[in-house]
């Protein structure tokens, strides 16, 4: 097993996660099998109880692990399925050591940071690195390890000591250290300054680790004299110093590394040079260029609680980007703080209230441009703040035939709104927000715990069965009988109210194996109104469409491995085109089957011509690789993706006008 360690210096938020993911992708493009580990030095056992404002979203894995969002980057870049043990925290390490001490495993010895904690870290890394994560048998060839935080942080010291011992233990040729540092450019003199990186490397070497490669973040490519200076003072060969300068979108990062021969430096350090092929990134390069050239906008209003930090909804945002690129559309996200839609805001700050509604509303008959949203997305969340605003957003979308997608809490919100507005149950609510409500549409699920928050929800991959094979969701999935998606919730739709809701027109088309847990809800009379209890964004992958067309199913229906991509592709089609003739109120099934009134070409044109995704006569473009899913052959997505934590309003290659910020960055 070969190991690549990625550390960071000077400041946090430099993009270690993107760098680690890009390195993994580059090595995979060279023909190697790659796995990843993220080390987080905080004392929490996992990320499950953290506020999104602290560390961004909580990413959920197939096994139910609640982990740092960087593991989502790894999965998207490398198209792998990681486990909860791929995220190491100080809390996990100390807990395992204390458990051993209580069992008497140390035979009465004094338990200390060195050697017991450091040994536990090394053993954990070696054990997890051998777990297959790419669907093949046997361990990977290379394990990329990202050490969170910044060199010099006191909480990282046990890990740095352990990794220093580990590098000596595995020996030369099996360990490569890449240090990500900052080379700032001072506006006053316009000169690239190397001193921060010099000090960072000196501190790293003083702790027993010597970098093989320097990855320098800067606004522009490093000058040759700067590289020479860094090589002299940091004891790193000039050819092993690469620049990660600012780029239009994060898909350029692996290409930057390739163009600067970073893979050769890594392979040389791992004694693999000459044993692998040149990196195959043709598909990646084409996709990156296409992303840069997108012009036609599609606007999606993201109505949420944590809109102040876009990382809180990172996977949702990425899934939207994946779908928009596939549709050749330039995604513009209108960030709408749910609380700003509520009546109390109208009283306290009318200007904020009006601005929020202006970002949400769209004239569906006249197709007005500018900042009005073409579709509405309500993502997951916890707590009652902003709930009323989300209900108002769902009501607006339902009553005005605006495409709507509700995820987790977003689905529950849609059900509550329907019960209030259509059934006339004005106090309908979730027992999470109103335990005394007489019409509990959403109730606490018996599988969880009300007293312990960490790891007690319905977590991980669960199976959803389609009750109606002719429903929108089943068609988008390719007419399969079930689908496996990831969950993270405590509350669910009350099964005792299902018949009442369905008699009024709402349909619960997806359920669990017992038929008691509602997973997917649709409103058949609406052009596109869908809610899902699971989180489809966690399995979203960028790249070319990864679906097959089934017999007699028109080319408009794509079976995406990521449920959100499937949904949002249709959302983009509807939001970009449906409004052009929505005064004729076309039935959804008629639309999907292609039996649309004259002028349907406007939809494809306004959405960037979905013909680019499929060949004539319902055949897919050439696939990257194939596989099996739920008994049907599918095309695996060619995976990229990744994220940096937002800095100065920059993230995700998305233009966001909702808060006056122009966003660029990653996928």
């Amino acid at each position: 097993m070969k190991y690549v360690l990625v550390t960071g210096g000077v400041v946090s938020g430099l993009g270690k996660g993107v760098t680690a993911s890009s390195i993994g992708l580059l090595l995979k493009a060279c023909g190697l099998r790659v796995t990843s580990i993220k080390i987080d030095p905080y004392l929490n056992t996992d990320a499950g109880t953290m506020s999104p404002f602290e560390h961004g979203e909580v990413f959920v894995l197939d096994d139910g692990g609640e982990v740092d969002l960087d593991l989502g980057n790894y999965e998207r870049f490398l198209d792998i399925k990681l486990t909860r043990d791929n995220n190491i925290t100080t809390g996990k390490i100390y807990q395992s050591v204390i458990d051993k001490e209580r069992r008497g495993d140390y035979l009465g010895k004094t338990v200390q940071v060195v050697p017991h904690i450091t040994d536990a870290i090394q053993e954990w890394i070696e054990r997890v690195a051998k777990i297959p994560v790419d669907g093949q048998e046997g361990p990977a060839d290379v394990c990329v390890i990202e050490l969170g935080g910044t060199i010099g942080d006191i909480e990282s010291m046990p890990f740095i000591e352990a990794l220093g011992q580990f590098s000596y233990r595995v020996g030369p040729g099996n360990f490569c250290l890449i240090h990500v540092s900052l080379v700032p450019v001072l506006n006053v003199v316009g000169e690239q300054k190397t001193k921060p990186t010099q000090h960072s490397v000196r501190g790293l070497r003083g702790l027993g680790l010597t970098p093989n490669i320097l990855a320098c973040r800067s606004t522009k490519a490093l000058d040759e004299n700067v590289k020479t200076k860094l090589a002299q003072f940091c004891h790193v060969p000039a050819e092993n110093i690469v620049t990660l300068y600012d780029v239009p979108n994060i898909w350029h990062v692996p290409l930057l590394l390739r163009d600067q021969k970073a893979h050769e430096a890594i392979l040389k350090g791992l004694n693999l040079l000459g044993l692998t092929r040149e990196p195959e990134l043709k598909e990646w390069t084409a996709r990156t260029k296409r992303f840069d050239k997108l012009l036609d906008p599609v606007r999606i209003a993201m109505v949420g609680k944590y809109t102040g930090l876009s990382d809180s909804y990172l996977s949702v945002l990425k899934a939207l980007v994946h779908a928009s690129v596939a549709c050749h559309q330039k995604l513009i996200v209108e960030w709408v703080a749910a609380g700003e839609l509520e009546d109390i805001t109208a009283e306290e700050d009318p200007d904020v209230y009006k601005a929020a509604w202006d970002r949400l509303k769209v004239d569906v008959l006249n197709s007005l441009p500018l900042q009005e949203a073409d579709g509405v997305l309500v993502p997951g969340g916890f707590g009652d703040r902003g709930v009323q605003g989300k209900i108002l957003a769902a009501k607006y979308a339902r009553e005005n035939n605006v495409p709507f997608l509700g995820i987790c809490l977003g689905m529950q919100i849609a059900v509550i709104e329907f019960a209030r507005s259509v059934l006339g149950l004005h106090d309908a609510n979730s027992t999470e927000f109103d335990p005394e409500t007489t019409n509990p549409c959403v109730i606490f699920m018996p599988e969880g715990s009300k007293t312990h928050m960490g790891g007690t929800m319905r977590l991980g991959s669960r199976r959803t069965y389609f009750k109606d094979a002719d429903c929108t969701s089943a068609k988008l999935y390719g007419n399969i009988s079930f689908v496996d998606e990831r969950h993270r919730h405590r509350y669910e739709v009350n099964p005792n109210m299902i018949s009442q809701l369905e008699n009024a027109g709402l349909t619960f088309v997806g359920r669990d194996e017992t038929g008691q847990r509602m997973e997917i809800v649709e409103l058949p009379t609406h052009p596109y109104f869908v809610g899902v209890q699971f989180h489809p964004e966690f399995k979203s992958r960028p790249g070319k469409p990864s679906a097959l067309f089934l017999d007699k199913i028109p080319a408009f229906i794509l079976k995406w491995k990521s449920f959100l991509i499937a949904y949002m592709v249709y959302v983009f089609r509807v939001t970009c085109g449906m409004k052009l003739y929505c005064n004729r109120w076309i039935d959804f099934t008629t639309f999907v089957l292609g039996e649309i009134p004259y002028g349907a070409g406007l939809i494809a044109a306004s959405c960037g011509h979905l013909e680019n995704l499929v060949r004539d006569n319902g055949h897919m473009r050439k696939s990257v690789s194939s596989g099996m899913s739920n008994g049907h052959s599918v095309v695996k997505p060619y995976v990229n993706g990744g994220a940096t934590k937002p800095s100065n309003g920059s993230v995700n290659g998305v233009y966001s006008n909702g808060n006056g910020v122009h966003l660029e960055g990653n996928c």
Side-chain angles (χ1 to χ4, degrees):
M1 174 68 70
K2 308 289 185 177
Y3 298 91
V4 176
L5 173 63
V6 178
T7 61
V10 184
V11 295
S12 60
L14 288 179
K16 295 189 302 297
V18 175
T19 304
S21 301
S22 299
I23 289 167
L25 177 64
L26 199 58
L27 294 176
K28 184 176 180 180
C30 291
L32 298 171
R33 293 175 60 197
V34 182
T35 185
S36 294
I37 293 175
K38 171 67 186 296
I39 298 175
D40 285 304
Y42 48 67
L43 282 170
N44 303 62
T45 301
D46 58 34
T49 58
M50 290 186 185
S51 165
F53 287 123
E54 290 283 333
H55 285 273
E57 75 171 4
V58 176
F59 192 81
V60 178
L61 303 172
D62 268 4
D63 65 0
E66 297 173 286
V67 297
D68 185 83
L69 58 81
D70 278 324
L71 273 78
N73 300 337
Y74 306 154
E75 286 204 344
R76 282 183 284 267
F77 265 92
L78 303 174
D79 193 17
I80 56 180
K81 292 183 179 180
L82 299 172
T83 70
R84 66 177 75 232
D85 285 347
N86 287 85
N87 190 191
I88 304 175
T89 69
T90 299
K92 286 182 179 179
I93 295 297
Y94 273 77
Q95 188 175 58
S96 68
V97 170
I98 291 172
D99 288 344
K100 287 182 178 180
E101 186 274 331
R102 292 290 85 188
R103 291 195 304 265
D105 292 359
Y106 296 115
L107 300 176
K109 291 183 178 179
T110 302
V111 180
Q112 298 175 293
V113 173
V114 181
H116 301 100
I117 294 295
T118 53
D119 284 351
I121 293 170
Q122 296 176 66
E123 291 165 4
W124 194 301
I125 291 173
E126 281 193 306
R127 173 177 60 83
V128 174
K130 296 176 182 178
I131 299 175
V133 294
D134 56 2
Q136 302 182 45
E137 294 183 359
D141 301 310
V142 180
C143 177
V144 179
I145 306 167
E146 178 192 348
L147 175 61
T150 306
I151 294 301
D153 294 345
I154 190 170
E155 59 203 21
S156 301
M157 292 304 177
F159 292 101
I160 293 174
E161 173 62 28
L163 289 165
Q165 296 178 17
F166 188 70
S167 65
Y168 178 77
R169 180 169 150 190
V170 298
N174 293 316
F175 189 89
C176 179
L177 197 163
I178 301 173
H179 188 59
V180 182
S181 187
L182 178 67
V183 178
V185 178
L186 300 182
N187 292 332
V188 177
V189 294
E191 179 185 1
Q192 293 175 325
K193 293 296 184 180
T194 64
K195 197 63 76 174
T197 297
Q198 291 181 42
H199 285 300
S200 180
V201 172
R202 184 179 297 116
L204 184 63
R205 295 178 65 198
L207 294 170
L209 289 169
T210 301
N212 303 94
I213 300 171
L214 285 181
C216 299
R217 287 285 289 113
S218 189
T219 55
K220 60 181 181 179
L222 293 184
D223 299 331
E224 285 303 317
N225 65 310
V226 173
K227 280 191 175 183
T228 302
K229 191 173 182 180
L230 285 172
Q232 179 181 0
F233 287 99
C234 298
H235 301 179
V236 176
E239 60 270 21
N240 286 11
I241 300 175
V242 298
T243 313
L244 299 178
Y245 54 83
D246 295 346
V247 289
N249 72 74
I250 211 65
W251 291 353
H252 285 278
V253 175
L255 304 180
L256 284 180
L257 292 171
R258 179 202 60 186
D259 294 343
Q260 297 175 76
K261 306 296 183 182
H263 59 288
E264 293 184 2
I266 297 170
L267 294 173
K268 182 178 180 181
L270 298 177
N271 287 341
L272 293 174
L273 195 61
L275 302 178
T276 60
R277 66 181 186 226
E278 284 296 307
E280 176 51 59
L281 291 171
K282 182 178 179 181
E283 299 284 348
W284 184 285
T285 304
R287 182 165 51 256
T288 302
K289 291 180 178 178
R290 183 167 69 248
F291 192 3
D292 289 341
K293 295 178 181 179
L294 297 176
L295 296 174
D296 298 330
V298 59
R299 291 175 169 83
I300 301 297
M302 186 90 77
V303 183
K305 177 180 177 181
Y306 312 108
T307 55
L309 179 64
S310 58
D311 265 8
S312 301
Y313 303 112
L314 191 59
S315 290
V316 176
L317 193 58
K318 288 176 181 295
L320 288 171
V321 172
H322 302 164
S324 66
V325 172
C327 292
H328 295 261
Q329 293 291 126
K330 185 176 186 176
L331 175 66
I332 296 177
V333 173
E334 304 288 354
W335 295 100
V336 181
E340 295 178 358
L341 299 173
E342 298 174 357
D343 293 339
I344 189 172
T345 304
E347 299 173 3
E348 296 176 351
D349 197 333
D351 292 339
V352 170
Y353 176 80
K354 182 181 182 301
W357 276 102
D358 286 345
R359 290 195 296 273
L360 179 67
K361 287 186 175 180
V362 58
D363 187 334
V364 293
L365 294 180
N366 297 317
S367 182
L368 293 178
L370 302 178
Q371 293 189 0
E372 292 129 344
D374 297 315
V376 176
L377 193 156
V378 178
F382 299 92
D384 59 357
R385 181 167 63 86
V387 165
Q388 184 58 33
K390 296 175 184 179
I391 291 174
L392 291 171
K395 181 178 182 179
Y396 169 78
R398 181 182 59 80
E399 293 181 343
N400 293 278
N401 275 39
V402 176
F404 173 88
L405 175 61
I407 298 174
C408 195
L409 177 60
M411 169 187 166
Q412 299 170 10
I413 289 296
V415 173
I416 293 171
E417 187 281 321
F418 189 86
R420 290 182 181 182
S421 301
V422 179
L423 295 180
L425 305 176
H426 300 298
D427 71 333
N429 213 330
S430 167
T431 56
E432 178 183 6
F433 314 131
D434 181 8
E436 306 302 324
T437 177
T438 58
N439 290 289
C441 293
V442 179
I443 61 173
F444 180 77
M445 53 191 295
E447 188 174 313
S449 169
K450 287 187 176 181
T451 57
H452 289 74
M453 300 186 71
T456 59
M457 292 182 282
R458 191 165 187 248
L459 292 165
S461 182
R462 306 296 181 100
R463 182 158 293 180
T464 295
Y465 292 88
F466 293 106
K467 178 184 175 184
D468 180 5
D470 202 38
C471 67
T472 303
S473 308
K475 289 179 179 178
L476 289 172
Y477 268 116
N479 286 343
I480 56 180
S481 59
F482 62 84
V483 66
D484 297 318
E485 292 288 359
R486 298 177 184 179
H487 293 66
R488 185 176 185 253
H489 63 99
R490 289 189 179 90
Y491 292 79
E492 61 185 339
V493 177
N494 187 351
N496 295 328
M497 293 190 67
I498 299 305
S499 59
Q500 191 176 0
L501 291 164
E502 289 194 323
N503 289 338
L506 206 60
T507 58
F508 294 88
V509 299
R511 307 187 182 193
D512 76 338
E513 65 279 2
T514 68
Q516 295 300 303
R517 297 179 185 271
M518 304 302 117
E519 297 282 2
I520 307 173
V521 62
E522 297 178 4
L523 187 60
T525 57
H526 193 284
Y528 187 85
F529 194 92
V530 176
V532 292
Q533 184 60 71
F534 45 79
H535 288 266
E537 69 272 17
F538 291 143
K539 297 179 74 171
S540 174
R541 302 288 186 269
K544 291 182 178 181
S546 58
L548 293 175
F549 295 97
L550 305 182
D551 292 340
K552 299 181 181 179
I553 299 297
F556 286 157
I557 301 177
L558 295 176
K559 175 190 172 187
W560 294 74
K561 188 169 184 178
S562 162
F563 191 79
L564 184 62
I565 292 180
Y567 273 133
M568 292 316 300
V569 163
Y570 181 68
V571 168
F572 286 129
R573 292 176 59 83
V574 177
T575 56
C576 295
M578 188 69 179
K579 59 187 180 184
L580 301 180
Y581 55 84
C582 66
N583 55 326
R584 300 179 66 171
W585 305 126
I586 300 167
D587 175 75
F588 173 80
T589 303
T590 303
F591 177 83
V592 171
L593 293 177
E595 301 167 2
I596 315 172
Y598 178 78
L602 292 174
I603 296 174
S606 62
C607 290
H609 299 287
L610 278 184
E611 292 88 342
N612 290 328
L613 299 179
V614 295
R615 293 184 184 275
D616 293 334
N617 302 321
H619 293 292
M620 288 293 299
R621 285 176 173 266
K622 183 178 179 181
S623 63
V624 177
S625 60
S626 62
M628 296 296 293
S629 175
N630 296 343
H632 293 274
S633 179
V634 299
V635 182
K636 287 186 178 179
Y638 188 89
V639 176
N640 48 11
T644 57
K645 293 179 173 60
S647 175
N648 299 326
S650 177
V651 70
N652 296 317
V654 179
Y655 292 84
S656 175
N657 297 330
N659 53 9
V661 179
H662 171 269
L663 299 178
E664 292 183 354
N666 74 62
C667 67

